[in-house]
Each structure stands twice: as C-alpha cells, then as structure tokens.
Amino acid sequence: MSRIIPDAVSSTQTLPAKVDVVIIGGGIVGVSTALELAERGVSVALCEKGLIAGEQSGRNWGWVRQMGRDPSELPLAIESLSLWKGMNNRVGEETGFRQTGIAYLCRNARQEAEYEAWLVHARNFGLDSRLLRTEELRQHLPGVTGRFTAALHTSTDGRAEPFKAAPAVARGAIRAGAHVLTGCAVRAVERSAGRVSGVITERGPIACSSVILAGGAWSRLFSGNMGIDFPQLKILGSVARATAVEGVPDMPVGADNFSFRKRLDGSFSIAMRNANIAPIVPDSFRLFADFVPTLIKSWRELKLRVGNRFIQEWRTPRSWASDEVSPFEQVRILDPVPFERFNREGLAHLVKAFPAFANSRITQSWAGLIDVTPDAVPVIGPAGGVPGFFIASGFSGHGFGIGPGAGKLMADIVTGAEPCVDPAPFRFDRFKKTKAA
C-alpha cells in the first residue's frame, strides 16, 4: 500500500568518460539543475542510485507555493513559480502544474495574526496574498463548514504532480543533452591539487570539474565521507490518496490539522498538517545543539519516536573507500512505513471542515523522509572548502515547490552566471561547521 512508483525515465547505459558537471541525486532539484545546465550547453551527467523521483520528490504533497515561505526563500519561490508556469511547454510533457491558487484556513485571531504578520513580507515582494473573510471566504472555498474565521489566499500559487514532474524534467534534460544514469550510485568525489577532478561511481569513474550534491536525505552521509559536516536530519512525513469527491475547491487547502490537493485523475492527496515524526537516530545526538532551537519552536508539530531507523543508521558505515560498496548501493530507495494514524485523523478532520469528503476513502498511503536543516532553509552553493564541490540540499519540505528555481540558481553559481536571486541566504558557511578532509 505504501509503494510509490514514479513515471519511468530511460537511463543512459553508457558511462560518459568526462563531463563538465556531475550531479548526485535525481530528485526535483537535481533534474532541474541538469536541465538548466544542459540547455546552456554545459555537459552534465546526473547519477541517481535508484529511480528519478523515487524518494521525497515523488512523495510530497505536490504544492507549488510562495505563500508562507521564509522571507529568505521568497525570491526563490517567486522565481520557481515563473519556471513552473512554463515547464510543460519547456520539456514538452505533463508535469501536472496548474495555477489554481492555495489557501490556508484560520480558526482564530491568533492564527490570523500570524498570517497578517507574514503578509508584510508578501507585500514587500509584490505577492497577491491576502486574507479572505466572510462571504469572500465561502466563494473561494466552496463546501467549507466549521468555525473558520478567515483564509490566507494566494491566487498565483498552484499544484503539480510529484510522480510526474521530476521524471518529465529529467526527460527534458536528456533531450537537451544531459546524461541521466539511474541505478548508478556515486561512491566518492576525486580531487586533484585540492579541487574536484571527478567522481567514482559503482560503474566506474567520470572526470569532471564540478560536483553538485543534490542527494536529499542522503546528503549528510555522503558529505560526511568527504569530511564535511552538513547539519541535516530527517523528518518522516505521511501522505494518503483519497477517492474523488465533488463540490470542493480545485486549489490545495490546508488548516491546522488537515490538508488536501486535487490530483490530475480527480482523486486527492491528503495529510494531517503540522504532524510529522522526528525519528531519533544517532545524528539526533550529534546535532542536538544545532537543532534544539527548532525543536523548541516546533514541538507541537513534531512527534519524537525511537524505532528501527536508529538501528539502521547506527549500522550504516559513515566512511568508506571509493573501491568499496557504498551505503547508497545497499539501500537504493528510502521507502519508510507511513504513520497511518496521522492519515486517518487527517481525513477525519477534513470531513469536519468539508463534509463532501464524508464518503471518500483512503486507497493508498506512503511516507517520505524529508531532509531538514536547523533553520529550515536549504543550502545552495559551494561547500566544505573544496573548490568545485557544491551542495543543493536541506530543503526542509519545500524542495518540490522551489526546485526549479533552486536548479536555476545552482546552475548560475556553478557556471559563474549572474544569480537569478541573491544566493547569500543559502550559503553553507552560515552553519560555521565546515571542515574539509
């Protein structure tokens, strides 16, 4: 019931001997970066240990939003939306993107005040976000009941289809000239005279001058083998598919305890909003000082759990040689068990708010491991003091929506082009924990 199978991408069978850039990871950020580079005439190879969009990029909610973003992320979210709007035409395929708007419902004055405070940032960036009340709320959100006092609404936001989007972008990158290799784990980064000179994959070496690590939940483990301490933990998010209903908004809608997004086939992806599992693992103790402020701030939204992941990660090697089988070859795809109680409760809360869902039933459920940083803002840029090595990871649950913009920014940085947005908020050294081997 939990297995997610994204759209297929035909893999390059021949390993290129040399490219300008190697990208590690085939999620939305990795494939967007590959597309950008290939379209600019840069030779690029993307290596994915499993399947394109096999992990969180194919398992997320499918929201494409500017609304509610951290102010430091807003320019990237705005850039991404402009790219999403043209993505179907750009790659010649269906990504599922529709500009439907998005709404967050408010139950009380406290929630309204939080959104009013965020609207200051929205106005600074020229967004069309605003609070809907009374009749306007009912007009934009047909079928809603309950004691909702207002809704934060952004009409320019939208939705896309996770299991389709990244594969479509990957195929677009291939048509633009990129090498995309699935089932091909990168074991190590090679250096010459202190800078990147290539990678060693399980199939053999690829010479290159730049490497971009877009490995999602695996990025800390990979960079750690290089002697780079990337502060990143994993959060378990559970999602379910519910059968189609009529009389509810086409736009994604969230409240404090539910969310839904209409899918292309008419069914819905639903979740219990503000409810995630934080697995306690060895890195939870290693990074305790980094993450404790976030834990204090978000304690209502996170449930700490000790389970099999502690043993799994305890047994996972933290270092290996380039001629050894790497952890990425032993676990090709992270496919965690969903927390079914959250899905059931999310649907129950949804029915109370939108009675049209009363006869809907859950037909599929899944989970993904979300890569998070201490400040919930990604790293996009040079990392570890190693010339030619870059990280694009730690998207903290925002990667799907801002993936195209992140790919463009990463391509700008690697090629020395004028950045599409200010890269300063995403610099690695803000954590002050860099140590190159």
Side-chain angles (χ1 to χ4, degrees):
M1 193 176 184
S2 66
R3 190 64 172 170
I4 292 293
I5 302 176
D7 283 1
V9 176
S10 296
S11 174
T12 303
Q13 297 301 312
T14 304
L15 200 72
K18 182 178 181 180
V19 295
D20 296 319
V21 181
V22 169
I23 299 169
I24 304 170
I28 189 67
V29 175
V31 299
S32 295
T33 307
L35 177 64
E36 285 284 344
L37 289 171
E39 288 181 338
R40 300 180 194 190
V42 178
S43 61
V44 57
L46 183 150
C47 298
E48 163 57 46
K49 61 179 173 45
L51 301 173
I52 300 299
E55 296 184 346
Q56 186 57 18
S57 286
R59 297 162 183 259
N60 61 85
W61 292 3
W63 293 30
V64 177
R65 65 178 173 90
Q66 307 156 104
M67 192 170 72
R69 295 290 187 202
D70 185 289
S72 63
E73 278 188 358
L74 264 175
L76 197 59
I78 294 167
E79 179 69 27
S80 290
L81 180 69
S82 69
L83 295 169
W84 273 112
K85 288 191 290 186
M87 193 63 75
N88 283 1
N89 288 334
R90 183 180 178 186
V91 302
E93 295 196 34
E94 178 64 80
T95 65
F97 179 77
R98 302 291 186 271
Q99 197 165 18
T100 56
I102 289 178
Y104 283 157
L105 286 159
C106 307
R107 293 185 191 274
N108 51 50
R110 178 184 60 79
Q111 292 176 354
E112 286 188 44
E114 291 174 358
Y115 291 142
E116 287 279 16
W118 182 83
L119 281 172
V120 174
H121 304 298
R123 287 189 285 269
N124 289 341
F125 286 97
L127 295 186
D128 63 337
S129 304
R130 61 196 183 94
L131 278 179
L132 307 176
R133 290 188 172 87
T134 58
E135 287 305 312
E136 203 173 22
L137 186 154
R138 308 295 167 180
Q139 290 170 8
H140 282 82
L141 298 170
V144 68
T145 62
R147 297 180 179 180
F148 294 108
T149 60
L152 180 65
H153 179 245
T154 305
S155 65
T156 50
D157 283 347
R159 55 183 169 88
E161 210 64 69
F163 71 95
K164 283 185 172 295
V169 175
R171 290 189 292 266
I174 291 170
R175 287 189 287 271
H179 303 272
V180 173
L181 302 104
T182 56
C184 183
V186 174
R187 292 177 173 176
V189 174
E190 290 195 305
R191 308 178 211 183
S192 178
R195 67 161 296 120
V196 167
S197 60
V199 299
I200 301 296
T201 78
E202 61 180 297
R203 299 188 199 172
I206 304 175
C208 64
S209 57
S210 298
V211 170
I212 299 168
L213 175 60
W218 295 93
S219 294
R220 173 170 168 80
L221 182 63
F222 188 95
S223 58
N225 193 46
M226 298 176 63
I228 299 171
D229 193 357
F230 178 27
Q232 179 192 60
L233 291 176
K234 307 178 189 73
I235 298 296
L236 180 77
S238 298
V239 191
R241 182 196 297 240
T243 52
V245 301
E246 299 295 332
V248 298
D250 278 348
M251 76 175 83
V253 177
D256 52 2
N257 58 10
F258 71 83
S259 72
F260 68 85
R261 172 188 63 88
K262 191 173 184 178
R263 302 164 65 103
L264 286 182
D265 65 0
S267 65
F268 288 82
S269 287
I270 67 166
M272 186 167 166
R273 190 162 172 249
N274 298 325
N276 294 300
I277 301 293
I280 296 177
V281 296
D283 274 342
S284 303
F285 299 95
R286 299 182 187 114
L287 297 173
F288 180 78
D290 301 81
F291 279 88
V292 70
T294 301
L295 182 61
I296 292 171
K297 180 181 177 181
S298 306
W299 67 271
R300 287 187 178 90
E301 303 170 15
L302 294 174
K303 306 296 183 186
L304 302 180
R305 291 287 188 276
V306 178
N308 292 337
R309 285 221 62 81
F310 188 97
I311 301 300
Q312 291 168 4
E313 296 197 14
W314 181 265
R315 292 175 174 171
T316 299
R318 297 178 65 200
S319 62
W320 56 91
S322 60
D323 61 352
E324 293 180 321
V325 174
S326 69
F328 318 112
E329 297 155 70
Q330 296 170 344
V331 179
R332 296 286 178 176
I333 295 176
L334 290 170
D335 189 24
V337 176
F339 196 65
E340 298 289 5
R341 196 191 85 198
F342 282 171
N343 289 336
R344 291 193 301 270
E345 291 180 2
L347 179 57
H349 294 311
L350 175 55
V351 169
K352 291 179 182 178
F354 290 88
F357 281 96
N359 294 322
S360 183
R361 70 184 192 283
I362 292 175
T363 60
Q364 185 183 21
S365 60
W366 63 90
L369 287 170
I370 303 166
D371 51 319
V372 299
T373 61
D375 58 7
V377 173
V379 167
I380 307 172
V386 180
F389 182 70
F390 305 85
I391 289 180
S393 193
F395 282 82
S396 305
H398 313 158
F400 185 73
I402 64 176
K408 184 175 181 179
L409 177 59
M410 191 74 266
D412 291 341
I413 293 170
V414 170
T415 60
E418 181 71 22
C420 60
V421 301
D422 182 6
F426 312 111
R427 68 190 189 280
F428 180 79
D429 63 8
R430 73 184 189 268
F431 299 119
K432 301 184 185 302
K433 294 192 68 175
T434 308
K435 54 180 182 180

